[in-house]
Amino acid sequence: MRARTPIGVAMVVGLWLAAALAVRTDREGQTLAAAEDQPAPASEASAKFVRVGIIGLDTTHCATFTKHLNDPDAKPDVSGFRVVAAYPKGSPDIESSLQRAPAALQAMRDRNIEIVDSIEELVEKVDVVLLETNDGRPHLEQVLPVLRAKKPIYIDKPMAGSLADVVAIFEAGKKYGVPLFSSSCLRFGEEILAVHNGSIGEVRRATATSPFRPKKETFHPDPYFHGIHGIETLYAAMGTGCREVARTVEDGKVKIVGKWDGGRVGTYLEAEGYGGSAEGTRGTAKLGSRIPYREQVVAFVGFFRTGVVPVEPEETIEIFAFMDAAVESRRRNGAPVRLAPLIEQARADARQPLAELDK
């Protein structure tokens, strides 16, 4: 099993000692400059904080994250950050997004958060960015102005609408020297973090559950929306190293079995709720059923403070390859599908959009 850096809450908790510090990092995650030359909005001229911008107001995460970040009594692990501006455009052809957007927009206005007309305008007003557009398909296009502006960014799930776009986003981050990461919130639950950090030794077998796909969502490969929660839980426990995936249906529910290096096995099961279990060399553990939104905020705040990503690009790429392999296995009536060729093809497919960056 590949060694992994612990990502427990202790790693990202710390007092925000330099009140005017804006986190701007180079490729290695080293702090480059303070932000005393970046004035706060006039309404809060005396406040010193890192200014957060949001792209996309068509997910409930926007309100949840803003509540935690803008809380005047925020605990030290998330203090020192404020959502100050948002670009509202979401997903025009996803029904759930259209339904959420008006209320989310009004909630932001009620909090005196500035609504801007473009991402280019947004990045001029903020230090770090949360990409929250519910639809993964426009994420590559939306992330590029942020990277060009050298602003660290957290990209909510799904990171993109295809594995090739996931690869392209990470490569663009390297090109512009800007740190970024993406994840489901599920990997940050206390029980899952404990397993990830070695509480039961090397994980030999794990099973994770989540809902699979909203019935009316047809624009992404089918595991990308809700299945990704259980699959990311699985990866938080197992780590990278999955070689092949086979997808079947049992009792009307999706079952995806991955075979890892060293004979380890990870299984995703479609279910109404979230959870799972893991078996390691030193015992067994539950993977948790609570949705840890606050812990997700702690994780990306820690990332913004340090430039250290809690999920490596290679792991996120493999998660998307796992999901694409499951889609292909379904097409092949349950036959196993190897991940490596899918990743190789995605890297080739990513070259064209990356070439466009130099024009």
Side-chain angles (χ1 to χ4, degrees):
M1 180 173 168
R2 180 178 174 179
R4 292 169 287 162
T5 302
I7 59 171
V9 172
M11 189 185 85
V12 295
V13 173
L15 290 173
W16 192 241
L17 299 177
L21 185 65
V23 177
R24 297 194 182 100
T25 55
D26 64 9
R27 191 171 303 170
E28 285 73 38
Q30 301 299 313
T31 299
L32 294 179
E36 292 181 349
D37 61 334
Q38 301 290 334
S43 61
E44 300 185 56
S46 62
K48 300 294 185 180
F49 49 79
V50 174
R51 301 167 301 167
V52 181
I54 293 178
I55 298 173
L57 295 180
D58 58 341
T59 169
T60 57
H61 292 185
C62 299
T64 300
F65 296 162
T66 301
K67 177 182 177 181
H68 286 297
L69 295 174
N70 291 25
D71 183 354
D73 299 317
K75 293 182 179 179
D77 53 4
V78 298
S79 64
F81 289 73
R82 297 288 188 279
V83 177
V84 299
Y87 171 66
K89 185 176 180 181
S91 308
D93 51 4
I94 295 180
E95 183 177 347
S96 61
S97 295
L98 293 173
Q99 292 172 346
R100 291 190 188 112
L105 180 60
Q106 186 59 50
M108 288 291 172
R109 286 176 171 152
D110 290 344
R111 289 179 176 270
N112 297 317
I113 292 166
E114 183 178 1
I115 304 301
V116 300
D117 295 325
S118 70
I119 296 173
E120 288 76 9
E121 182 181 358
L122 179 79
V123 296
E124 291 297 319
K125 297 175 179 290
V126 303
D127 304 305
V128 299
V129 174
L130 306 176
L131 177 47
E132 295 297 323
T133 305
N134 201 31
D135 187 350
R137 293 170 296 171
H139 280 185
L140 175 58
E141 178 183 356
Q142 292 177 325
V143 78
L144 291 177
V146 182
L147 299 180
R148 291 190 182 107
K150 306 292 186 182
K151 303 297 171 74
I153 182 169
Y154 165 72
I155 305 171
D156 215 332
K157 66 86 190 167
M159 182 173 181
S162 70
L163 175 56
D165 276 7
V166 169
V167 172
I169 289 171
F170 281 125
E171 291 300 316
K174 290 180 183 178
K175 174 182 173 64
Y176 292 110
V178 179
L180 62 93
F181 86 100
S182 179
S183 73
S184 157
C185 67
L186 268 292
R187 70 161 53 239
F188 299 114
E190 182 178 0
E191 292 171 308
I192 298 170
L193 282 175
V195 171
H196 178 97
N197 291 338
S199 64
I200 60 172
E202 181 185 51
V203 176
R204 303 300 302 172
R205 305 183 71 88
T207 299
T209 67
S210 73
F212 188 67
R213 179 180 185 163
K215 292 180 179 179
K216 296 181 180 180
E217 205 298 297
T218 60
F219 300 105
H220 297 72
D222 58 6
Y224 277 30
F225 252 62
H226 287 168
I228 192 172
H229 289 304
I231 292 165
E232 186 140 11
T233 297
L234 192 63
Y235 266 84
M238 298 286 294
T240 56
C242 182
R243 293 182 289 106
E244 67 177 34
V245 161
R247 171 176 167 176
T248 56
V249 174
E250 290 187 3
D251 300 323
K253 302 292 186 181
V254 173
K255 179 180 181 180
I256 306 171
V257 179
K259 293 185 178 180
W260 264 251
D261 294 332
R264 300 184 301 124
V265 178
T267 302
Y268 165 83
L269 295 176
E270 179 183 5
E272 294 298 322
Y274 303 95
S277 61
E279 177 185 337
T281 53
R282 297 203 305 268
T284 62
K286 298 292 184 181
L287 295 182
S289 58
R290 186 177 62 85
I291 300 177
Y293 285 132
R294 187 182 186 281
E295 289 87 340
Q296 185 180 18
V297 176
V298 172
F300 65 64
V301 163
F303 157 68
F304 288 141
R305 285 175 172 169
T306 66
V308 177
V309 295
V311 188
E312 293 293 336
E314 292 78 10
E315 183 165 336
T316 300
I317 289 169
E318 189 173 308
I319 287 169
F320 276 80
F322 182 104
M323 293 189 291
D324 280 9
V327 172
E328 181 63 15
S329 177
R330 179 190 182 190
R331 192 183 70 82
R332 298 183 190 179
N333 297 315
V337 175
R338 291 182 57 80
L339 274 62
L342 298 180
I343 295 173
E344 182 179 356
Q345 184 61 53
R347 294 193 186 280
D349 293 342
R351 291 181 190 135
Q352 181 176 350
L354 289 171
E356 296 293 324
L357 301 182
D358 297 321
K359 294 182 178 180

